[in-house]
């Protein structure tokens, strides 16, 4: 079983930010990445629709013999992971906004969270926020048009940057010292965020934590691939433009990107 692949899915290309962390930490694993770009963004869909799409992606992952699934999407995790865990046998790793480390590191007791509407309105996010940021002022902002810009490849366009700058105003006004990126697409706009936000704001995302958690679950379940042979990475996207997703992961070796209907 340890030779079977780890499968990740996301509403599109964003979860490749998690794939990079996973490949770094687990170079001998085979990975399959399912980019459901056709249905992006998930963040504006109802919880029922998000569950339905997550089930579709999970069934496809199982057809590839997944030994573990990484839900590389905050929106799908916060809305669908408990459903998936109760309906499927294999281990699932999810990703949630990193409220806990931000809240415990904040000196001014004011942090920001930039995430999709689907994540910020989910029960799981509210619970996590109440548990770990009780005494902290949490400024939540719904990211508008960011997923579309990362999917479409226009994150450096002037129009996008000026809209992004407007969206960041509440963070500047509330004088936060930590900004949590609550969507796996957002690490792809970190250079823009660094230019637009005051220098003292630390930006954090959950990518490395997810990779560490995946390794520990593989070990615990005795399904870590110990073959010492560099793993294969297969990316499947359900849109025509395969070059865009390939360009987001220029450093990954042994990789193929294929269009597939799903
Ligand atoms: N990348 C996803 C997330 O982490 C989904 C964004 C979306 O499709 O709205 O939330």
């Amino acid at each position: 079983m340890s030779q079977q692949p780890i499968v990740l899915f996301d509403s599109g290309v964003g979860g490749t930010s998690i794939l990079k962390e996973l490949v770094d930490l687990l170079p001998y694993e085979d990975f399959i990445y399912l980019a459901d770009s056709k249905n992006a963004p998930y963040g504006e869909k109802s919880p029922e629709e998000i569950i339905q799409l997550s089930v579709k992606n999970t069934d496809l992952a199982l057809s590839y013999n997944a030994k573990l699934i990484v839900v590389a999407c905050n929106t799908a995790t916060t809305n669908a992971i408990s459903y998936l865990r109760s309906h499927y046998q294999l281990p699932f790793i999810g990703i949630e906004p990193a409220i806990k480390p931000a809240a415990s590191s904040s000196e001014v007791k004011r942090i920001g969270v930039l995430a999709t509407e689907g994540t910020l309105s989910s029960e799981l996010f509210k619970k996590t926020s109440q548990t770990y940021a009780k005494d902290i002022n949490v400024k939540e902002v719904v990211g508008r048009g960011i997923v579309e810009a990362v999917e479409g490849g226009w994150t450096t366009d002037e129009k996008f940057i000026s809209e992004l700058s407007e969206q960041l105003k509440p963070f500047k006004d509330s004088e936060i010292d930590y900004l949590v990126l609550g969507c796996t697409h957002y690490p792809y706009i970190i250079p823009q965020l660094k230019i637009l936000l005051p220098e003292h704001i630390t930006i954090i995302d959950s990518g490395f934590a997810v990779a560490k958690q995946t390794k520990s679950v593989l070990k615990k379940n005795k399904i870590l691939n110990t073959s010492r042979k560099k793993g294969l990475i297969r990316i499947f996207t359900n849109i025509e433009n395969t070059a865009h997703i390939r360009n987001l992961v220029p450093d990954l070796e042994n990789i193929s990107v294929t269009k597939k209907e799903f």
Side-chain angles (χ1 to χ4, degrees), residues 55-228:
V55 164
K56 165 189 71 90
N57 297 330
T58 299
D59 288 340
L60 180 57
L62 290 177
S63 76
Y64 284 112
N65 223 5
K67 63 177 174 182
L68 175 148
I69 294 179
V70 178
V71 182
C73 173
N74 292 258
T75 311
T77 298
T78 51
N79 286 277
I81 203 157
S82 57
Y83 180 94
L84 297 174
R85 284 186 174 136
S86 62
H87 286 79
Y88 294 89
Q89 293 298 320
L90 77 171
F92 285 88
I93 306 289
I95 179 161
E96 277 189 75
I99 297 239
K100 189 181 172 187
S104 62
S105 311
S106 173
E107 281 178 17
V108 297
K109 306 286 175 217
R110 289 187 300 276
I111 65 170
V113 182
L114 183 63
T116 68
E117 189 156 18
T119 293
L120 293 175
S121 61
S122 68
E123 289 305 316
L124 186 57
F125 175 78
K126 283 183 205 141
K127 214 170 116 200
T128 308
S129 193
Q130 274 155 16
T131 310
Y132 297 111
K134 278 203 294 296
D135 313 317
I136 300 274
N137 195 325
V138 182
K139 185 85 220 160
E140 297 170 15
V141 171
V142 172
R144 302 275 177 209
I146 308 175
V147 170
E148 289 86 341
V150 175
E151 287 291 317
W154 58 80
T155 55
T156 52
D157 287 11
E158 223 170 281
K159 185 167 175 281
F160 171 73
I161 308 266
S162 95
E163 284 163 4
L164 181 63
S165 174
E166 276 300 307
Q167 297 192 55
L168 299 176
K169 271 198 180 136
F171 295 134
K172 292 186 204 164
D173 295 345
S174 47
E175 299 183 338
I176 58 166
D177 58 356
Y178 277 82
L179 174 64
V180 177
L181 301 186
C183 171
T184 54
H185 282 71
Y186 297 175
Y188 287 114
I189 57 156
I190 288 178
Q192 290 83 333
L193 293 173
K194 284 196 169 150
I195 293 168
L196 296 170
L197 287 169
E199 226 173 280
H200 71 273
I201 297 180
T202 305
I203 298 170
I204 49 175
D205 71 80
S206 319
F208 182 60
V210 168
K212 272 200 336 205
Q213 171 70 359
T214 304
K215 187 170 183 178
S216 119
V217 170
L218 289 173
K219 270 189 176 164
K220 202 174 119 214
N221 288 276
K222 300 191 170 49
I223 50 174
L224 189 70
N225 193 334
T226 49
S227 68
R228 301 269 145 195

